[in-house]
Amino acid sequence: MSIFDLLAQILNVKTIFRFILLALLPAALFYIVSILTLKGAGFNLVEILRDPAQQSEKSSFLGFLSNIGVWIWVSSAAICFFAAATVRDTKSNSKRKELLLLVGTFSLLLAVDDLFLIHDRYINEYLCYAVYAFLALALMARHYRTIAEIDGFAFLAAGSLLASSIMTDLIQDHITLRYSYSQVFEEGFKFMGAAAWLYFSFRIAADSKRAVTEKSR
């Protein structure tokens, strides 16, 4: 292949148009709408654009474990959504695809909550916890066979660790342990629960990929 053929392949009009439509345009719209919305809410450009650690002149490692926890939730969502996109829309695959989409959506919901402190500042934490418990139980009730076949222990371990984090949060005002120490347990359970959830997400994604590969042979 000559250099001109290579350039023609790279600068293909259809490829460029698809890139602009699916990558640049959504990013630009999100960027502009975010700036306009937050300016309308009273934030200035520096507050919108710069990292909180820069603005407060604090260490970049401020909230390190909390930030890594958000990464874990987002990673779980990304793995599930990508795997769901590669699963063919057939009757035999419908359950697996639905499970991937539900787990991915739940992961993204937890990521948004963790990042913006939704249950701490904007919505009653008891209501949030009740909704999360309902979603987890509904997910298990609908897909318990598939979950058990793939890795039921990982699902139960993730749920138990996250439930332990919630319980610690609910009782920390009624125990004699200092707040900073109770936070170690609460956040520790949540961090390990998020890691277990990421592992479970990987397991269902890998199982779906394996199922697709076997059927294509």
Side-chain angles (χ1 to χ4, degrees):
M1 180 181 290
S2 68
I3 184 66
F4 298 105
D5 291 332
L6 185 61
L7 285 174
Q9 185 175 7
I10 293 173
L11 300 177
N12 180 276
V13 174
K14 185 177 180 180
T15 301
I16 293 173
F17 178 76
R18 182 173 57 196
F19 168 72
I20 293 172
L21 183 65
L22 299 180
L24 290 188
L25 187 58
L29 286 174
F30 182 83
Y31 188 80
I32 293 169
V33 170
S34 296
I35 289 177
L36 294 177
T37 302
L38 290 171
K39 275 189 65 66
F43 295 94
N44 62 47
L45 288 176
V46 172
E47 290 173 332
I48 297 169
L49 299 172
R50 297 191 73 197
D51 187 271
Q54 290 179 307
Q55 297 181 50
S56 61
E57 298 184 350
K58 300 290 186 179
S59 170
S60 298
F61 292 98
L62 187 68
F64 173 75
L65 286 174
S66 178
N67 290 334
I68 295 297
V70 174
W71 284 16
I72 293 175
W73 291 125
V74 172
S75 297
S76 298
I79 288 171
C80 290
F81 288 144
F82 179 78
T86 63
V87 174
R88 295 176 183 174
D89 290 319
T90 62
K91 186 175 181 180
S92 59
N93 291 333
S94 60
K95 278 285 188 179
R96 280 187 169 84
K97 187 164 188 174
E98 181 182 283
L99 178 60
L100 286 165
L101 290 173
L102 290 175
V103 171
T105 302
F106 193 29
S107 303
L108 195 59
L109 179 64
L110 292 172
V112 171
D113 186 358
D114 223 3
L115 180 62
F116 296 107
L117 306 175
I118 302 298
H119 75 273
D120 287 313
R121 295 185 175 181
Y122 302 107
I123 301 177
N124 183 277
E125 63 178 3
Y126 296 105
L127 176 61
C128 283
Y129 292 156
V131 170
Y132 294 155
F134 172 78
L135 292 176
L137 291 172
L139 178 65
M140 183 173 63
R142 180 164 177 78
H143 292 282
Y144 69 93
R145 291 187 185 277
T146 307
I147 290 171
E149 288 173 4
I150 298 172
D151 198 332
F153 179 79
F155 181 86
L156 292 177
S160 298
L161 287 165
L162 294 172
S164 297
S165 175
I166 292 174
M167 289 302 300
T168 305
D169 182 32
L170 295 176
I171 67 172
Q172 63 183 345
D173 292 333
H174 307 287
I175 56 179
T176 57
L177 200 63
R178 287 174 55 182
Y179 178 75
S180 58
Y181 293 149
S182 68
Q183 280 291 287
V184 170
F185 288 99
E186 179 191 343
E187 296 300 324
F189 284 134
K190 183 172 74 172
F191 191 86
M192 290 186 291
W197 189 259
L198 175 60
Y199 176 78
F200 174 70
S201 300
F202 167 79
R203 291 280 288 147
I204 59 174
D207 179 80
S208 299
K209 181 66 175 177
R210 178 191 56 77
V212 170
T213 302
E214 289 179 353
K215 289 179 181 179
S216 64
R217 288 175 180 174

